[in-house]
Structures are given as structure tokens and as C-alpha cells.
């Protein structure tokens, strides 16, 4: 009997993904990578959907350098959402991104909850944008400067304002820097989010070994990479167990086995972030490896694997 190859295609709401691997916002600039790499990225695109870096209403310079520091098994960053602003993104980047053979998930942030609504209004008119992701890890200038994603009510307000302005597939990206991530997830879903991305970076800092002063210009930053995988896996597991909403899992994904585990924990799609810095073609390797692992373990489809860890043994 001829065995069928495993089915990697999966639906994320209305988005049809050729396989479950996408990129995490801010970790893969396809327009820059296309200039540098020899690979024909626009034709051999490694991701099943593309998430550009987060943009805000106004351009942002970002934080004082240094902004990156490698730690054992992780990367600390304090980029501070440096970006060209949503209008330049729409005018300059989107026309080029529409050539990609994968749906585009635009990512937006703001210091005020109403910024999310205003960004979504601008993006709703762009037909090449398939979905919008709200990055709620931006410091809130209306309150105490903490990320609005650390508060369920602020998260719900941002999601509700975004929902009023767009009928596109709406994703809210959760911060792990909270006591109860399920409460924030519930608030976002209740306010109209269609999907949740889980997780953004984990608060951290590093000291210079000689001066014993903070290494990052901004003093503290966000930790990513393999060091945060168990934190992310737990968050994906809890959120998808408690809520009936698709989840994009991310945090330290580096191997095909990691992809398999995030799917089993409950994710419908899995994003690769920090691993792209070490190997810009990591995602292509992961997709191939995922297929091999599925054959090896007799797993017929990605859809059938989602949430397997949730079932009783
Ligand atoms: C250098 C860097 C820049 C990032 N920029 C963004 C961003 O603009 N928007 C966002 O939502 N997340 C951003 N992130 C967070 C990632 O999208 C991802 O949620 C996080 O890094 C965890 O995944 P990873 O461990 O695979 O990197 C950034 C992460 C890094 C390392």
C-alpha cells in the first residue's frame, strides 16, 4: 500500500497556509534579506504567511543603543519599535510585499488604545493585507507607561477599537509579562479578536561583566530564543485549552521538534523569530524537517496534531 505524504496545509481562520510555519514580527525583513541573500526569496519564500515589523502611526527612532545582547540560549532586545510609520509602510513596503506568494499579516502598535483603531482603519483599505496583528507590548502613554497588554481592560479596549475599524482577520499578540495570561486572552477574544499570537518577549536585563552596568542602552529589554520556549509552550497550552480561538505559537522555536510541540500544545500555526538571525533560511529547514518527523511518527496531518497535548493520556 502506498502511504500518503503528511498534509502540512492548515487553515488559520480565512488564511490558507501551505504549512504551519510563519515568521515572528520584527525578526525577518524580507525586503532587506532579498537584497543580501542569494536565494530567490520572493519565489522560494520560506514562510506560509509574512508578518512585517510592527508599525506605529508616527515613525519612531527606537531606543538608545546598544539594543541587542546575546545571552546563554537567548537574545535580549530593546529595539523600542523603531519603524518608518504606517503611512510610509503602506506607500513604500506594501506594494512590494504584495508580490510575496503568502498572505501578509500587518502588525501595528501604539501608545494609546485609539492608535490601534486608527491603524486598522488605514489597513482595512489595503487589499494586500490579509490580517492585522495588534502588538500590545508597546508602553502605554495614557497610564503608567507599562505595556497596555499587561492589563486585560486596556487590551480589550485596543481590540474593540480595532474591531470597529476592520473586518480583516484580527490577531492580538499577547505579552507573557502578566500574572494571568488567560485573563488577557479572554479579554482580547471577548472584544472581538479572531486569533491570538502567544507570546511576545519576556522582560529581562543583562549587566556588563566588567562595568557591572546594564548592557542595553534602555537598561531592560525583552528576552527571546530557546531560553523562553518552556514559558511560551505553557502559555500556548493554557490559552488554547481555555479558549475556543486559534493560536499562533511562538517563543524559542529553533527545531522541527519545537514546531511539532507547539502544534501539540494547541497552536494552529507556529512563528519563528530569533532563529532567523542565526539562519535566515531556518524556516525552510523546519518545514522540511516537520514533514520528515510526521512521516517518522505516523502523523497524517498538521490539523490532526493540533492540541494533541490537551487530550487525556
Ligand atoms: C530583534 C527583535 C525584534 C522584535 N520586534 C518585534 C516587533 O516589531 N513586533 C512584535 O510584535 N514582536 C517583535 N519581536 C518579538 C518576536 O516577534 C517574538 O514574539 C519573540 O521574539 C519570541 O519568539 P522567538 O523566541 O522565536 O524570537 C521582536 C523580537 C526580536 C528578537
Amino acid at each position: 500500500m502506498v502511504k500518503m505524504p503528511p498534509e502540512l496545509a492548515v487553515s488559520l481562520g480565512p488564511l490558507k497556509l501551505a504549512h504551519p510555519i510563519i515568521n515572528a514580527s520584527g525578526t525577518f525583513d524580507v525586503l532587506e534579506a532579498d537584497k543580501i541573500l542569494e536565494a530567490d526569496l520572493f519565489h522560494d519564500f520560506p514562510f506560509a504567511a509574512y508578518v512585517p515589523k510592527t508599525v506605529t502611526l508616527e515613525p519612531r527612532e527606537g531606543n538608545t543603543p546598544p539594543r541587542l545582547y546575546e545571552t546563554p540560549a537567548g537574545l535580549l532586545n530593546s529595539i523600542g519599535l523603531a519603524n518608518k510609520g504606517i503611512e510610509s509602510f503602506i506607500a513604500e513596503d506594501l506594494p512590494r510585499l504584495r508580490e510575496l506568494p503568502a498572505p501578509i499579516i500587518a502588525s501595528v502598535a501604539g501608545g494609546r488604545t485609539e492608535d490601534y483603531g486608527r491603524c486598522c482603519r488605514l489597513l482595512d483599505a489595503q487589499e494586500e493585507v490579509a490580517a492585522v496583528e495588534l502588538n500590545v507590548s508597546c508602553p502605554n502613554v495614557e497610564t503608567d507607561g507599562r505595556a497596555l497588554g499587561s492589563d486585560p481592560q486596556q487590551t480589550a479596549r485596543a481590540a474593540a477599537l480595532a474591531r470597529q475599524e476592520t473586518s480583516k482577520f484580527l490577531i492580538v499578540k499577547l505579552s507573557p509579562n502578566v500574572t494571568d495570561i488567560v485573563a488577557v486572552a479572554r479579554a482580547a477574544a471577548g472584544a472581538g479578536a479572531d486569533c491570538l499570537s502567544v507570546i511576545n518577549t519576556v522582560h529581562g536585563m543583562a549587566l556588563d561583566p566588567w562595568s557591572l552596568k546594564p548592557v542595553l542602552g534602555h537598561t531592560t529589554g525583552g528576552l527571546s530564543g530557546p531560553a523562553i520556549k518552556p514559558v511560551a509552550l505553557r502559555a500556548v497550552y493554557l490559552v488554547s485549552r481555555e479558549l475556543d480561538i486559534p493560536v499562533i505559537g511562538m517563543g524559542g522555536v529553533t527545531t522541527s521538534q519545537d514546531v511539532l510541540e507547539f502544534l501539540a500544545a494547541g497552536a494552529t500555526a507556529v512563528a519563528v523569530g530569533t532563529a532567523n538571525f542565526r539562519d535566515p533560511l531556518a524556516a525552510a529547514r523546519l518545514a522540511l524537517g516537520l514533514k520528515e518527523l510526521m512521516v517518522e511518527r505516523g502523523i497524517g496531518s498538521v490539523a490532526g496534531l493540533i492540541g494533541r497535548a490537551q487530550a487525556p493520556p
Side-chain angles (χ1 to χ4, degrees):
M1 198 175 75
V2 183
K3 273 215 159 180
M4 295 286 282
E7 180 57 80
L8 265 70
V10 69
S11 296
L12 181 67
L15 277 57
K16 304 283 172 234
L17 307 184
H19 57 76
I21 301 168
I22 71 170
N23 72 297
S25 177
T27 65
F28 190 91
D29 183 339
V30 68
L31 300 177
E32 283 305 313
D34 191 53
K35 288 185 214 155
I36 301 162
L37 297 177
E38 284 191 8
D40 184 358
L41 268 187
F42 272 67
H43 291 101
D44 275 333
F45 193 58
F47 303 104
Y50 180 63
V51 193
K53 182 162 181 62
T54 299
V55 290
T56 48
L57 279 176
E58 302 298 331
R60 281 170 65 110
E61 287 286 329
N63 290 330
T64 314
R67 298 172 175 182
L68 286 176
Y69 185 72
E70 201 171 344
T71 66
L75 179 68
L76 267 176
N77 90 82
S78 62
I79 307 291
L81 291 179
N83 77 92
K84 56 167 64 178
I86 194 163
E87 280 173 11
S88 302
F89 168 74
I90 289 172
E92 295 162 17
D93 296 359
L94 265 187
R96 295 165 68 202
L97 294 177
R98 76 184 311 169
E99 309 293 321
L100 286 174
I104 298 168
I105 303 176
S107 167
V108 298
R112 297 179 170 77
T113 46
E114 56 262 35
D115 293 358
Y116 290 86
R118 289 173 63 194
C119 285
C120 282
R121 185 183 307 175
L122 292 170
L123 290 170
D124 196 57
Q126 311 305 320
E127 61 174 284
E128 49 276 86
V129 172
V132 183
E133 180 172 89
L134 310 183
N135 171 5
V136 290
S137 294
C138 193
N140 190 343
V141 296
E142 292 167 314
T143 56
D144 55 5
R146 281 188 301 150
L148 62 90
S150 63
D151 175 14
Q153 281 171 353
Q154 293 281 320
T155 305
R157 193 171 143 70
L161 291 171
R163 182 76 291 168
Q164 276 171 22
E165 300 293 347
T166 185
S167 54
K168 291 190 194 283
F169 191 60
L170 185 63
I171 306 166
V172 175
K173 181 167 181 179
L174 303 181
S175 163
N177 304 312
V178 294
T179 313
D180 183 358
I181 197 164
V182 174
V184 191
R186 206 167 263 132
D194 299 309
C195 176
L196 300 169
S197 276
V198 181
I199 55 174
N200 213 314
T201 54
V202 177
H203 284 332
M205 79 179 287
L207 298 186
D208 179 275
W210 294 105
S211 70
L212 297 177
K213 295 278 193 309
V215 173
L216 295 173
H218 188 63
T219 308
T220 63
L223 183 65
S224 61
I228 70 165
K229 183 189 144 191
V231 177
L233 208 54
R234 169 187 179 271
V236 168
Y237 180 87
L238 291 182
V239 168
S240 42
R241 188 183 69 184
E242 298 302 321
L243 275 84
D244 187 16
I245 188 168
V247 166
I248 304 173
M250 69 194 81
V253 173
T254 313
T255 64
S256 307
Q257 174 67 27
D258 294 335
V259 178
L260 211 62
E261 291 177 20
F262 273 86
L263 293 169
T268 298
V270 178
V272 180
T274 300
N276 294 315
F277 292 109
R278 188 150 286 158
D279 174 6
L281 299 177
R285 178 173 48 77
L286 294 193
L288 270 181
L290 177 66
K291 201 169 185 177
E292 281 165 18
L293 275 183
M294 288 172 68
V295 171
E296 226 173 85
R297 311 218 182 154
I299 301 167
S301 71
V302 163
L305 173 63
I306 297 167
R308 194 176 274 198
Q310 312 270 354

